[in-house]
Amino acid sequence: MAAPVIETCHVACCANRTPNVVSWGRGGTIAFGTCNSVALYDPQERKVVAVLNGHTGRVNAVQWVYKEDGAPECHLVSGGSDNRLILWEAGDGKFAQSVECKGHTGPVCAVDAIYTEDSKILVASSASDSTVRLWLCSDTKEAECLRNLSFGSGFMMDVSLVLLPGSGVPILACGGDDSRVHLYVQANNQFQKAMTLQGHEDWVRGVAWASTGGELLLASCSQDSLIRLWRLRAKSGPDTSAEDDHTIIKMKEDIFEVKERDVSSVFAVSLETVLAGHENWVYGVHWQPPFYKGGELQQPLSLLSASMDKTMILWAPEEGSGIWIEQVRVGEVGGNTLGFYGCQMSPDGSMIVAHAFHGALHLWCKDQDKEWRPGVVISGHFNAVQDLSWDPEGEFILSVGSDQTTRLFTPWRKQHSEQATWHEISRPQIHGYDMQCLAMVGRFQFVSGADEKVLRVFQAPRNFVENFANISGIPKQKLLTSSDSANLPEGASTPALGLSNKAVFQGDIVPKTNAEEEQFSSVSDQYQESYFHPLNLTDPVCPSTYWPCLYGHGFEMFCLVSDSTRTVVASACKASKAEHAAVLLWSTTTWRQLQSLPCHTLTVTQMAFSPDAQLLLAVSRDRTWSLWRRNPTTSEKPRFSLYARTGKDTAIHSRIIWSCDWSPDSKYFVTSSRDKKVIVWGPCILENSGDSVPPPEIKPCSSILDVGDSATAVAFCPVLCSDNSYLLSVGLECGRILLYRWSPGQEPAGGHDWSSCGETDASQSHALAVKRLRWRPRAGRAGQQNGKKDGQTDRESEIEEESSWVQLASASVDHSVKIFNINKQAL
């Protein structure tokens, strides 16, 4: 079988900001909704194994359909803001859309599903149209709506299904904003209301059934900070003697009757206990999954709860008394973020996970000493990713997004592990404005722009470089020599009344003696400004290393770029007039403005310096491009002067030009536009013959490539193909990424100069528009070269094999950063 051209190396994403969006399967896979997709994450391998694209709105609820024998699941249900439910089915090791349930008139907020006795799938869904619907999905891939339960103007926050003990009759529990839990039972193929459980004093946020020894336990959690456990059991006829005996104190029982095939059964529901321990709204409850012991399925009496107080609690009954008590409490301390939206437990009960308001997953693992410790888990942006950049050596990626963060991703190889996995190890910038663009100005220095008129420059502290060396496996001395190590601050601290963090240098960190620690000579000693203390990290658990902010200047930012010599940064801002559409140039040594380049009449959407740093290309919303030439520093001319441009009459693009890039030899550049066209221009050959000779005309060198959709991103691969043709990637508004080879020698007239050589399939593609594509600046895959140190012959063959791979990073509106490995030999 031929090797795939494109394989997904890493997907950085996080869970949506909704309560029921994470589900942990018995097969060990965590499914969670991320933007409009469902991601399947393997916590052992620490990577996303699949992304399911099908919804056209945000995914709000995800639930595995558990099998009775505890085997890995074949079905998964998801509900979204597109008012639809999708049942996904596994086939040939991959999940594909099987059944679509349409009928809700509002976003779906909760789903649950079980297998009925005749192996059909019964699905319950709650939506903001104030209804709960029950669907029956059969093998014919059709969904039948069995019942539409209307709640007037109320909303049901969560639903849970289970089969009644001793019979195959489904019972549905709904928790709503009326502070009650409603129970519905199926009778003669119709769901009838059995009873209402009262007791909570605020909205019921979660309900969950557990089957234990012929009885059912129902856990309900609420915004009143309490969890209530209810016991449901079958009654063998009315026990009148006990009913009349008033000397026995026991909980009040509510009774309902179920008729199935003319056989009547009576069930009783009573309050088992009330669990108080959380200090804020309890958003989710989850029972420990059942397991087989001695050939019998056993349900452990262990309940996990998650709350807005940023803690998860594991509850279990005490051995002697049977009273439910708090066994373990884990969570986050401090900070100004909101708490947990939901919780899940691994099939063996050794790991627990919560998802938070900002989409982050928080994982805890039980070690050999039965202690719970934080674990490494996937993370990513929780809003659109606007821009990304590789570091000059291709060892890590920086990305910025509308979630107001800048994040750093790098490969990490755990000790005794063959495979390196990518992780977010730092958030160099957490801002108060939506981030828009960034440019690397060195190995450990970058400039970023947000929805504000200021450019901000950041430099990595020495403590970060040392920890980066620990995590990435790159020798520390090599990293320190590649950066200006003499000027690196030790770390960063935030002044008590300051918004920007400031650099802390070696002389600022004074070790204290024991006597000094015991007493403070003044108030300022007690509340010192330098709160920085060096950390020594070996795994990417703690992504909180802020980089010190230096300073910057600019307008309301839209795009940024730096040249290959790292001496000049160009910036541009949003503009509706020519006076604001000028490109500004900045010196990276003094951080002062060097020059203004006026040319365009509307926003400059993207810029690119040629690899030889001699030319600056800018493309604009006014549908034209401009090319600026760097003048020798000895000449009296300004640093950059206009070299070529397209006018209204010579422009080929008829809509906004979204993106541009240079070929690795600086001869050609490419533009891509909303008009679905991709065009290569050139040749850009600079003659040192003075002003007397006019520059050669720069015109389209390729045939016009129609990619079938708005081309929002384009990038030239820095490594040429084996036949010296150029490899390009094109990102589309629909989320697909296309690969093309362009041969400059071919006759462009017939379109033979372009050859398609691959594209992302449905599971690899983004769900929304691709904002940025960036190739790794060198051949090979990041994190692969740091493995073997000895065995020269193996090493040589390894290097040779590695050079056949190139890596492409993409940023998208669907909140994800994806890294693809592309095999040049398979092209």
Side-chain angles (χ1 to χ4, degrees):
M1 184 179 150
V5 175
I6 304 175
E7 58 180 50
T8 308
C9 166
H10 177 63
V11 181
C13 55
C14 70
N16 286 333
R17 197 179 282 183
T18 53
N20 305 300
V21 80
V22 179
S23 180
W24 202 324
R26 307 283 193 259
T29 305
I30 299 176
F32 62 90
T34 173
C35 195
N36 298 356
S37 311
V38 178
L40 304 183
Y41 175 72
D42 184 340
Q44 302 290 347
E45 295 284 320
R46 297 197 179 100
K47 64 186 290 189
V48 171
V49 291
V51 178
L52 312 180
N53 293 325
H55 284 282
T56 54
R58 184 181 72 174
V59 176
N60 299 325
V62 174
Q63 181 61 50
W64 288 104
V65 188
Y66 298 128
K67 292 184 175 179
E68 213 172 296
D69 59 358
E73 295 79 3
C74 299
H75 293 96
L76 175 72
V77 185
S78 61
S81 293
D82 54 2
N83 308 351
R84 295 185 307 152
L85 285 153
I86 294 178
L87 178 69
W88 307 87
E89 186 175 14
D92 302 329
K94 287 186 177 178
F95 277 84
Q97 192 170 322
S98 170
V99 183
E100 188 179 2
C101 307
K102 285 182 175 175
H104 281 294
T105 55
V108 179
C109 62
V111 293
D112 197 19
I114 54 168
Y115 291 103
T116 58
E117 288 199 310
D118 50 1
S119 295
K120 292 180 179 175
I121 297 174
L122 179 68
V123 180
S125 60
S126 173
S128 58
D129 57 9
S130 297
T131 67
V132 170
R133 287 176 183 254
L134 289 131
W135 317 78
L136 197 60
C137 303
S138 56
D139 297 336
T140 56
K141 303 211 169 181
E142 287 180 5
E144 174 198 354
C145 185
L146 295 180
R147 183 77 201 272
N148 182 9
L149 307 171
S150 177
F151 291 89
S153 59
F155 301 106
M156 290 299 112
M157 298 296 162
D158 198 11
V159 290
S160 184
L161 281 166
V162 75
L163 297 178
L164 280 168
S167 72
V169 178
I171 180 167
L172 167 71
C174 310
D177 63 354
D178 57 0
S179 311
R180 298 173 182 177
V181 179
H182 304 272
L183 301 185
Y184 290 83
V185 177
Q186 190 174 20
N188 305 324
N189 256 1
Q190 283 294 316
F191 273 82
Q192 309 292 343
K193 188 158 191 175
M195 66 169 52
T196 299
L197 305 178
Q198 298 186 5
H200 285 295
E201 296 175 357
D202 207 334
W203 292 13
V204 177
R205 278 291 180 175
V207 285
W209 288 105
S211 181
T212 163
E215 296 182 335
L216 291 178
L217 281 173
L218 174 66
S220 62
C221 62
S222 163
Q223 289 180 188
D224 62 9
S225 308
L226 299 176
I227 300 159
R228 299 176 93 87
L229 293 187
W230 315 82
R231 187 178 290 277
L232 185 149
R233 60 185 183 86
K235 278 181 83 76
S236 52
D239 191 353
T240 49
S241 59
E243 297 278 329
D244 298 337
D245 189 353
H246 297 296
T247 58
I248 300 172
I249 299 173
K250 60 178 200 172
M251 297 299 289
K252 178 187 166 211
E253 284 189 334
D254 292 310
I255 293 168
F256 65 91
E257 198 174 342
V258 176
K259 282 187 178 173
E260 185 200 12
R261 302 188 192 95
D262 302 326
V263 178
S264 183
S265 315
V266 179
F267 292 90
V269 182
S270 61
L271 179 67
E272 175 81 0
T273 185
V274 178
L275 307 179
H278 286 294
E279 295 162 10
N280 208 328
W281 298 359
V282 186
Y283 256 96
V285 281
H286 181 72
W287 291 96
Q288 182 174 341
F291 59 89
Y292 271 95
K293 192 173 182 181
E296 283 186 28
L297 194 66
Q298 295 195 348
Q299 170 66 54
L301 285 179
S302 181
L303 180 72
L304 183 66
S305 62
S307 164
M308 270 290 153
D309 63 9
K310 293 195 276 195
T311 64
M312 277 197 291
I313 297 179
L314 204 54
W315 309 86
E318 210 173 25
E319 277 187 25
S321 63
I323 296 170
W324 284 76
I325 57 166
E326 176 185 316
Q327 300 273 337
V328 177
R329 184 188 289 246
V330 297
E332 301 287 305
V333 178
N336 57 357
T337 56
L338 288 169
F340 295 145
Y341 261 153
C343 54
Q344 294 283 303
M345 196 182 292
S346 66
D348 61 355
S350 67
M351 291 191 280
I352 53 178
V353 72
H355 68 284
F357 179 75
H358 288 318
L361 295 175
H362 298 258
L363 180 79
W364 280 269
C365 311
K366 188 157 58 173
D367 59 17
Q368 286 89 358
D369 309 328
K370 302 286 170 102
E371 289 284 324
W372 289 89
R373 303 193 186 283
V376 178
V377 73
I378 189 173
S379 63
H381 291 276
F382 57 89
N383 210 330
V385 189
Q386 298 292 351
D387 199 1
L388 58 76
S389 180
W390 289 86
D391 83 290
E393 302 296 320
E395 300 294 354
F396 62 84
I397 283 174
L398 273 174
S399 61
V400 293
S402 300
D403 61 357
Q404 307 186 347
T405 65
T406 304
R407 297 172 190 246
L408 188 149
F409 301 93
T410 194
W412 170 58
R413 183 185 278 108
K414 201 178 179 184
Q415 284 181 327
H416 319 300
S417 168
E418 288 288 308
Q419 201 65 34
T421 51
W422 282 78
H423 293 277
E424 178 192 338
I425 67 159
S426 173
R427 272 173 223 168
Q429 186 182 8
I430 297 175
H431 205 23
Y433 293 94
D434 291 3
M435 300 300 301
Q436 189 63 42
C437 49
L438 92 157
M440 295 292 295
V441 205
R443 190 77 193 268
F444 291 110
Q445 195 176 28
F446 73 90
V447 190
S448 68
D451 281 344
E452 57 172 346
K453 302 172 184 178
V454 180
L455 271 171
R456 297 182 188 269
V457 188
F458 291 83
Q459 184 176 18
R462 184 187 295 267
N463 185 233
F464 170 82
V465 178
E466 290 167 356
N467 286 323
F468 178 75
N470 294 343
I471 291 166
S472 64
I474 303 166
K476 184 164 68 176
Q477 290 315 114
K478 185 182 168 189
L479 288 174
L480 288 170
T481 50
S482 69
S483 56
D484 184 7
S485 58
N487 297 328
L488 284 183
E490 285 299 312
S493 71
T494 306
L497 298 174
L499 296 174
S500 288
N501 42 10
K502 57 182 263 190
V504 176
F505 290 92
Q506 183 66 48
D508 301 336
I509 305 171
V510 183
K512 287 191 170 180
T513 63
N514 292 343
E516 279 180 308
E517 280 176 3
E518 287 170 15
Q519 57 182 20
F520 300 109
S521 57
S522 68
V523 175
S524 59
D525 280 353
Q526 192 171 348
Y527 302 103
Q528 282 196 334
E529 196 174 84
S530 176
Y531 291 112
F532 168 74
H533 297 287
L535 293 170
N536 186 27
L537 304 177
T538 54
D539 55 21
V541 172
C542 176
S544 58
T545 34
Y546 302 133
W547 292 7
C549 179
L550 308 178
Y551 75 98
H553 201 278
F555 281 107
E556 194 175 346
M557 299 306 306
F558 195 81
C559 61
L560 265 174
V561 69
S562 68
D563 67 347
S564 57
T565 61
R566 314 288 170 196
T567 56
V568 175
V569 169
S571 63
C573 63
K574 294 176 185 175
S576 54
K577 294 179 185 171
E579 61 191 281
H580 297 304
V583 173
L584 298 185
L585 299 181
W586 309 83
S587 161
T588 60
T589 49
T590 62
W591 293 112
R592 292 200 174 152
Q593 189 179 319
L594 293 173
Q595 196 180 346
S596 173
L597 309 179
C599 176
H600 294 284
T601 56
L602 294 171
T603 306
V604 172
T605 51
Q606 209 169 88
M607 298 175 290
F609 276 100
S610 59
D612 62 9
Q614 294 305 303
L615 293 164
L616 169 63
L617 170 68
V619 295
S620 167
R621 192 156 67 93
D622 64 14
R623 307 171 188 179
T624 66
W625 55 257
S626 61
L627 197 59
W628 303 81
R629 178 179 178 172
R630 187 194 289 256
N631 296 313
T633 48
T634 52
S635 73
E636 295 177 6
K637 291 187 196 170
R639 194 165 290 227
F640 278 82
S641 55
L642 188 62
Y643 183 65
R645 62 169 298 187
T646 48
K648 290 276 195 248
D649 48 342
T650 54
I652 297 175
H653 289 298
S654 57
R655 303 295 295 277
I656 179 174
I657 303 177
W658 275 125
S659 186
C660 63
D661 199 21
W662 283 93
S663 65
D665 54 13
S666 303
K667 270 192 196 172
Y668 306 98
F669 62 87
V670 63
T671 57
S672 73
S673 164
R674 186 182 276 163
D675 62 10
K676 307 175 186 176
K677 294 174 187 167
V678 174
I679 304 166
V680 178
W681 307 75
C684 304
I685 302 161
L686 296 175
E687 302 287 346
N688 295 326
S689 51
D691 295 342
S692 56
V693 182
E697 186 189 357
I698 293 172
K699 55 184 191 293
C701 295
S702 71
S703 56
I704 295 173
L705 175 67
D706 190 327
V707 291
D709 192 19
S710 174
T712 51
V714 68
F716 264 108
C717 179
V719 185
L720 296 177
C721 297
S722 51
D723 58 353
N724 281 341
S725 58
Y726 298 97
L727 178 62
L728 285 98
S729 56
V730 182
L732 306 182
E733 197 165 37
C734 64
R736 279 192 308 146
I737 297 169
L738 315 176
L739 292 182
Y740 286 96
R741 264 165 52 180
W742 177 66
S743 308
Q746 299 287 338
E747 185 57 45
H752 302 301
D753 53 341
W754 292 103
S755 60
S756 173
C757 51
E759 64 177 77
T760 52
D761 60 33
S763 66
Q764 292 174 318
S765 299
H766 289 283
L768 294 170
V770 179
K771 290 292 283 187
R772 188 73 166 186
L773 291 172
R774 288 282 183 109
W775 293 89
R776 187 171 186 245
R778 52 172 66 182
R781 294 168 292 186
Q784 297 293 323
Q785 296 90 330
N786 310 327
K788 286 185 185 171
K789 300 282 189 299
D790 42 53
Q792 191 57 35
T793 51
D794 292 354
R795 191 87 186 103
E796 282 168 3
S797 64
E798 212 176 277
I799 288 168
E800 194 177 321
E801 186 211 338
E802 217 27 70
S803 65
S804 66
W805 292 92
V806 283
Q807 278 187 313
L808 174 67
S810 64
S812 168
V813 181
D814 71 359
H815 309 183
S816 69
V817 171
K818 295 191 180 188
I819 301 165
F820 300 100
N821 295 335
I822 290 154
N823 189 343
K824 281 199 306 171
Q825 291 176 346
L827 296 173

